[in-house]
Amino acid sequence: MNYEIKTQGKFKFVEEGEGEPVILLHGLFGALSNFSGLLEYFKQYNKVVIPMLPLFDLNILETSVGGLAKYVHKFIETRGYTNFHLMGNSLGGHVALVYILKHPEDVKSLILTGSSGLFENGMGETYPKRGDYEYIRKKTELTFYDPAMATKELVDEVFEITSNRLKVIKIITLAKSAIRHNLGDELKTIQAPTLLIWGNNDTVTPPMVGEEFHKLIPNSELHFIDKCGHAPMMEVPDEFNVIMHDYLKRLNSGAIKPKAV
């Protein structure tokens, strides 16, 4: 994805397009490239913003879902975004949830896809020995319905992360934080219109997780996509964009009410 990475203070981010901001939060093994199809489409209609989350740069006490949510809050404050749509995949969805629970005032809508926060299957009970490329390749393939989505470039990125001892410690710390930070009791307080887009073949946060989010978040709408795994915006970007764009258009037309009844 050949977009300019901008810098303001400690923050690095991509910002393309004009209009209502759509802020995208990536997951634990995520990167800017995860959102290339979404960015290319929505920059025609919105200001699309992707902050680079400091997954490996926070000190160990701040390496948590809450620490990342604080970072996102400072980023949004620094950039002065208001009346924005907040979208997160996997761990990024969890961060978005913690953010909106603490700072609901400026979020126009919440969009979650394959989000943690209720239940997720991790990399496994034990972490692989560093250097086990084949293990990492198979685990990366499990993210998707179509294993061919786990390109060599993508597997190499994950392998590089898991080959670094300090990064592995941070990954385990964040994964444990996500498991501990269950939001089930708090979701009923979210009033923002919420769009849930789930892969029917997601093995990390299975379809029943999407259904549970739908049950617990009052003003929510759930869409399933067939033959799709844990990262719908990567695996089926065209279908994902149609669902999300239709939702935002209905929201702006008043067909979806801004507050829960």
Side-chain angles (χ1 to χ4, degrees):
M1 195 167 72
N2 297 316
Y3 292 107
E4 177 194 358
I5 294 178
K6 301 177 180 179
T7 303
Q8 183 171 346
K10 66 180 179 180
F11 303 109
K12 292 182 179 179
F13 59 98
V14 168
E15 182 182 285
E16 297 283 337
E18 295 297 331
E20 284 183 344
V22 176
I23 300 173
L24 312 176
L25 305 180
H26 60 75
L28 190 55
F29 290 95
L32 301 180
S33 59
N34 294 173
F35 295 120
S36 56
L38 195 153
L39 172 55
E40 199 61 35
Y41 180 86
F42 278 98
K43 71 176 185 177
Q44 305 171 79
Y45 310 99
N46 294 85
K47 179 180 287 183
V48 183
V49 182
I50 314 174
M52 297 175 71
L53 299 181
L55 302 178
F56 310 117
D57 300 324
L58 296 174
N59 71 50
I60 199 69
L61 294 176
E62 293 176 325
T63 301
S64 64
V65 177
L68 290 171
K70 286 178 184 175
Y71 178 90
V72 169
H73 175 57
K74 288 174 186 171
F75 170 70
I76 288 170
E77 266 194 334
T78 300
R79 296 293 299 155
Y81 300 123
T82 58
N83 202 39
F84 53 83
H85 307 279
L86 186 60
M87 180 263 183
N89 170 240
S90 197
L91 179 71
H94 203 155
V95 173
L97 284 163
V98 173
Y99 176 89
I100 197 172
L101 286 165
K102 292 185 181 297
H103 309 284
E105 54 281 348
D106 286 324
V107 182
K108 186 169 183 179
S109 76
L110 177 66
I111 301 143
L112 303 175
T113 182
S115 177
S116 59
L118 288 176
F119 168 83
E120 65 277 350
N121 289 312
M123 288 290 284
E125 291 303 313
T126 58
Y127 222 81
K129 291 178 182 176
R130 283 183 287 145
D132 192 343
Y133 188 89
E134 187 62 18
Y135 178 92
I136 296 300
R137 183 182 65 78
K138 287 179 179 175
K139 281 293 183 181
T140 305
E141 286 179 352
L142 288 175
T143 304
F144 305 102
Y145 171 76
D146 178 6
M149 288 292 298
T151 61
K152 184 178 184 306
E153 181 184 19
L154 187 60
V155 176
D156 286 349
E157 283 179 22
V158 177
F159 182 71
E160 185 278 326
I161 292 169
T162 57
S163 298
N164 181 306
R165 181 176 171 274
L166 289 176
K167 287 184 177 180
V168 168
I169 290 170
K170 294 288 182 77
I171 287 167
I172 292 171
T173 303
L174 283 167
K176 286 182 175 176
S177 167
I179 292 166
R180 284 196 308 269
H181 204 142
N182 187 289
L183 299 172
D185 293 337
E186 300 172 69
L187 296 178
K188 64 180 179 294
T189 66
I190 294 174
Q191 293 190 327
T194 300
L195 173 63
L196 307 165
I197 306 176
W198 238 257
N200 252 333
N201 308 92
D202 186 343
T203 58
V204 181
T205 49
M208 59 100 171
V209 178
E211 291 169 353
E212 191 69 9
F213 273 119
H214 182 39
K215 187 171 86 175
L216 293 173
I217 299 175
N219 198 5
S220 64
E221 179 175 308
L222 173 61
H223 294 258
F224 284 112
I225 300 177
D226 285 329
K227 297 182 179 178
C228 177
H230 186 54
M233 73 290 168
M234 285 180 72
E235 192 160 14
V236 287
D238 292 344
E239 287 181 66
F240 186 95
N241 292 341
V242 165
I243 293 169
M244 181 169 157
H245 195 195
D246 174 69
Y247 185 82
L248 296 185
K249 285 190 286 190
R250 286 187 288 120
L251 181 62
N252 284 329
S253 73
I256 299 170
K257 300 306 177 190
K259 295 291 182 186
V261 176

